[in-house]
Amino acid sequence: MTTTGSGSTYDPPADPARGAAASARAAARGHGPPPRTDRRVALVTGASSGIGAATARRFAAGGWHLLLSGRDRRRLEETASGTSAVLLPADLGAPQGARLLAEAALRATGRIDVLVAGAGIGWAGPFLTMPHTDIDRVLFLDLNATLHLVREVLPAMVESGRGRVVLVGSVAGCVGVREEAVYSAAKAGLAAFAEALRQELRGTGVGVTLVVPGPVATGFFARRGRPYHRSRPRPTSPGRIAAAVWDAVAEARDDTYIPAWLTLPARVRALTPSLYRRLLNHFG
Ligand SMILES: NC(=O)c1ccc[n+]([C@@H]2O[C@H](COP(=O)([O-])OP(=O)(O)OC[C@H]3O[C@@H](n4cnc5c(N)ncnc54)[C@H](OP(=O)(O)O)[C@@H]3O)[C@@H](O)[C@H]2O)c1
């Protein structure tokens, strides 16, 4: 048993894994002070599926204590299976969703070392046919809710002098994908936010990582209502994205592209936009 000199109610219980999880659950419900855990704590949104679920499992395997969020409790339970993770179901599409989640997370453990903001949705089709409600829905969840969640958890990270915010962007945000205009805009917004925030946080001990996946084989495409139909790039596995997130956090990286060659189209676009557009017209 790990003991501390304080003898306070913050001391870890005899069975650290089960005890910490039980007291974290009680704290998350608003009963009692945040339990103390010696393990590092990651809050993962989108943990009920795909990239978020795989990332949560990777961090659990690495010995981290997890706070898992999504809307679907049953799938969150599947992600958490065999771990001491605390489930914090939340609808980040609701106006106060991000604030309520951050409050519950900080109540549960008293601190967050890493936030992995993985929750997101897509929408595909001609912009001219996109309902206004869907424009708002995609922008709110993929951009606004993420920014609000970061705004809520950052003060505690900065105060503790360490932490990392991991934003799950997309190659769509780097290059702008036809018939994914609003999704591309939301992810480009995340990329610009990551760049700006990183500068603001310099010297605080808190870092920002932008994860830039190409297509990934998850339920994302079925959920948006249009399957992935291109032959290239080929979809990668969510486990590969999770491994990249793990490495990026361990190495305190500013960004990570998966697969790595995806930096190429982004560079061509930045350096020679006219060539980039000619290539797009040709290859679509
Ligand atoms: N798959 C790809 O090809 C790809 C490529 C690049 C980037 N990404 C990005 O990667 C992230 C994860 O996507 P994925 O591929 O893992 O998709 P996914 O399997 O569909 O997972 C999406 C996650 O977001 C959560 N979510 C959706 N709406 C929510 C809401 N209103 N409130 C709270 N959580 C909500 C879902 O939770 P519930 O199901 O419980 O509601 C689910 O856990 C997204 O940001 C996506 O844009 C995906």
Side-chain angles (χ1 to χ4, degrees):
M1 183 174 87
T2 315
T3 51
T4 68
S6 68
S8 74
T9 50
Y10 287 79
D11 286 347
D15 180 344
R18 292 182 55 190
S23 46
R25 278 193 296 275
R29 288 194 301 269
H31 309 304
R36 175 174 167 156
T37 173
D38 292 332
R39 292 186 293 160
R40 280 177 293 173
V41 178
L43 168 61
V44 182
T45 71
S48 51
S49 180
I51 292 170
T55 302
R57 284 193 286 268
R58 179 65 191 86
F59 277 69
W64 285 53
H65 183 56
L66 289 168
L67 306 173
L68 303 182
S69 193
R71 284 174 305 179
D72 188 316
R73 174 175 276 278
R74 188 188 54 77
R75 282 192 275 111
L76 282 178
E77 281 167 359
E78 280 172 25
T79 305
S81 165
T83 76
S84 61
V86 175
L87 309 188
L88 301 172
D91 182 359
L92 291 173
Q96 298 297 323
R99 185 179 59 78
L100 294 174
L101 172 59
E103 285 174 4
L106 288 167
R107 260 202 315 273
T109 47
R111 72 167 208 276
I112 297 164
D113 298 297
V114 166
L115 164 68
V116 180
I121 50 170
W123 194 96
F127 179 66
L128 282 176
T129 69
M130 188 170 186
H132 290 276
T133 48
D134 284 334
I135 296 176
D136 290 341
R137 209 168 50 88
V138 170
L139 284 177
F140 191 83
L141 186 69
D142 291 356
L143 186 59
N144 294 23
T146 302
L147 270 52
H148 286 297
L149 185 59
V150 173
R151 175 67 183 84
E152 293 289 342
V153 304
L154 258 185
M157 285 187 184
V158 170
E159 195 183 334
S160 72
R162 67 175 193 176
R164 181 153 292 271
V165 171
V166 178
L167 303 171
V168 181
S170 167
V171 70
C174 302
V175 298
V177 173
R178 192 180 59 198
E179 301 199 348
E180 296 184 28
V182 175
Y183 179 72
S184 298
K187 294 298 185 178
L190 272 190
F193 172 67
E195 205 63 54
L197 185 64
R198 194 178 294 121
Q199 293 172 47
E200 277 190 45
L201 292 175
R202 200 177 300 132
T204 64
V206 181
V208 180
T209 297
L210 179 70
V211 181
V212 186
V216 187
T218 68
F220 175 87
F221 297 103
R223 255 179 267 250
R224 77 176 184 181
R226 188 197 272 193
Y228 182 74
H229 55 75
R230 292 166 190 262
S231 53
R232 275 167 198 278
R234 296 232 311 265
T236 54
S237 71
R240 189 166 168 198
I241 310 299
V245 173
W246 174 260
D247 290 346
V249 169
E251 295 160 16
R253 294 184 60 165
D254 289 342
D255 51 34
T256 179
Y257 289 67
I258 312 110
W261 66 262
L262 280 180
T263 54
L264 196 63
R267 280 189 202 160
V268 173
R269 179 174 176 244
L271 290 173
T272 58
S274 54
L275 171 65
Y276 173 76
R277 284 179 206 123
R278 279 206 303 279
L279 290 170
L280 266 195
N281 290 340
H282 194 67
F283 295 107

